[in-house]
Amino acid sequence: MASGLPSNPLKKINLTRIAHVYYKHDHDKIAAAKQFYDDFGFVVAAEIGNKTYYRGYGTEPFAAVLEEADTTEFGGAAFAVESEEDLVHASKTLPKEAKATEVYELKDVPGGGKAVTFYDPVDGFPFHLVFGQTHVERRDPGLPTLKVNYPTEKHRGVNEFQRFKKRPAPVHKLGHFGMCVTDFAKTYAFYSSYFNFHPSELVYNDEGVDKTVFFRLDRGSELVDHHCFFFFEGPKMHVHHSSFETHDFDTQVLGHDWLREKGYTNCWGVGRHIMGSQIFDYWFDPSKFILEHYVDGDLLDMNEPTHRTKAAPGNLHVWGPEVPDTFLQ
């Protein structure tokens, strides 16, 4: 659709997947941040100007971007859209408070494509929409599909062994990101009205008022991750974390040990969530941003209804360390 043609204001912007996230680190932290990304399991896709693009072993051209900047801040997440028409629609119909750009070319960016950037109309954080990026060939991470021996079911052959190599946990893809927002109701109304986000889980307070949402994408019968975007209400807007899928539990714990032995600070983990079911492992990078490795998350389609749960200490995980105060900030 040509950029000059009109858009239907009632049509939702159709997102297909979460694509990548941007983080800005100041000059004193950027070298340490790059080393952390290496140890976290990313692979450098390109270094262009003051930005380093990192990919996983999946087919996205990149999953995270580190930018050397004068200030340390979250640069926003990017979601792929169904068509260029969705980009045009976003640029023309998002509310003026969102300050949406025109469609622009992603020049000197791995995968190319086109994009629109807007700013959350409540708290002002950037949000990116992309289309037409060229996928890359999946890499072999060199990780086995394990044959597990249970007490009464033995799947591994006679004289076969499980052997592992100490290494970082290779990132497969970006799975989700989350924000602390200052007005839950307004933020929820915006994203649920303009985009095909659908609540997998809503968490309410003692007064019965929803204060947290875990959004998945409404893709009909297509299987999607339990959530790709979540937010909760708090006194000050900030990014909470970005979460990256790795291969399996052994890989995740090997990665946990690798990061611990390198001297990084664990935020929370390893444990298993209830909402989404993922096994989680959260780490602070050198600028105190939180990044998560996860495995074994739920997949849903639109046959699964929204679940509402009262906020409580036991809702976040079924096993693992107790929730630290630093995670809840």
Side-chain angles (χ1 to χ4, degrees), residues 281-294:
D281 192 26
Y282 297 91
W283 290 85
F284 290 109
D285 78 2
S287 295
K288 300 304 179 183
F289 291 120
I290 301 173
L291 273 64
E292 177 192 13
H293 280 135
Y294 80 92

Side-chain angles (χ1 to χ4, degrees), residues 2 23 43 47 52 63-64 74 91 107 112 129 136 143 152 169 199 208 243 253 259 278 317 323:
Y23 285 94
V43 174
E47 293 186 88
T52 304
F74 181 57
S91 71
K107 297 179 180 178
L129 308 173
V136 294
L143 298 167
T152 59
S243 182
V253 177
L259 291 167
Q278 306 99 315
H317 70 308
V323 185

Side-chain angles (χ1 to χ4, degrees), residues 200-274:
S200 294
E201 311 271 356
L202 288 164
V203 182
Y204 59 90
N205 62 15
D206 289 341
E207 290 73 43
V209 179
D210 294 329
K211 292 296 182 180
T212 300
V213 65
F214 293 86
F215 273 138
R216 70 180 185 269
L217 294 180
D218 178 355
R219 301 288 298 163
S221 60
E222 180 182 330
L223 295 182
V224 299
D225 289 331
H226 173 274
H227 59 279
C228 56
F229 178 30
F230 77 91
F231 52 84
F232 61 96
E233 186 172 288
K236 183 179 179 180
M237 181 275 292
H238 63 274
V239 64
H240 189 267
H241 73 267
S242 296
S243 182
F244 300 87
E245 185 178 39
T246 189
H247 178 66
D248 64 7
F249 182 53
D250 282 288
T251 304
Q252 185 179 35
V253 177
L254 286 165
H256 176 99
D257 285 353
W258 183 273
L259 291 167
R260 176 175 51 80
E261 290 168 6
K262 293 291 184 179
Y264 298 109
T265 303
N266 181 248
C267 174
W268 186 30
V270 177
R272 183 169 298 260
H273 281 308
I274 296 172

Side-chain angles (χ1 to χ4, degrees), residues 106-260:
L106 288 169
K107 297 179 180 178
D108 298 323
V109 173
K114 298 182 179 182
V116 165
T117 294
F118 68 89
Y119 297 85
D120 178 85
V122 179
D123 286 307
F125 57 87
F127 203 111
H128 312 280
L129 308 173
V130 298
F131 175 73
Q133 287 193 298
T134 302
H135 282 185
V136 294
E137 185 176 351
R138 182 185 183 276
R139 292 188 172 187
D140 181 1
L143 298 167
T145 300
L146 298 183
K147 297 178 181 178
V148 178
N149 283 341
Y150 297 101
T152 59
E153 296 180 20
K154 309 299 182 183
H155 299 283
R156 195 159 61 251
V158 176
N159 300 326
E160 292 183 2
F161 307 100
Q162 308 278 43
R163 297 292 183 265
F164 303 94
K165 178 182 177 181
K166 290 183 177 293
R167 59 183 288 190
V171 166
H172 173 232
K173 68 165 188 173
L174 172 63
H176 62 265
F177 85 108
M179 298 293 301
C180 177
V181 301
T182 59
D183 191 316
F184 177 87
K186 288 182 179 179
T187 306
Y188 183 93
F190 171 72
Y191 288 102
S192 60
S193 297
Y194 284 91
F195 302 91
N196 60 321
F197 286 118
H198 182 81
S200 294
E201 311 271 356
L202 288 164
V203 182
Y204 59 90
N205 62 15
D206 289 341
E207 290 73 43
V209 179
D210 294 329
K211 292 296 182 180
T212 300
V213 65
F214 293 86
F215 273 138
R216 70 180 185 269
L217 294 180
D218 178 355
R219 301 288 298 163
S221 60
E222 180 182 330
L223 295 182
V224 299
D225 289 331
H226 173 274
H227 59 279
C228 56
F229 178 30
F230 77 91
F231 52 84
F232 61 96
E233 186 172 288
K236 183 179 179 180
M237 181 275 292
H238 63 274
V239 64
H240 189 267
H241 73 267
S242 296
S243 182
F244 300 87
E245 185 178 39
T246 189
H247 178 66
D248 64 7
F249 182 53
D250 282 288
T251 304
Q252 185 179 35
V253 177
L254 286 165
H256 176 99
D257 285 353
W258 183 273
L259 291 167
R260 176 175 51 80

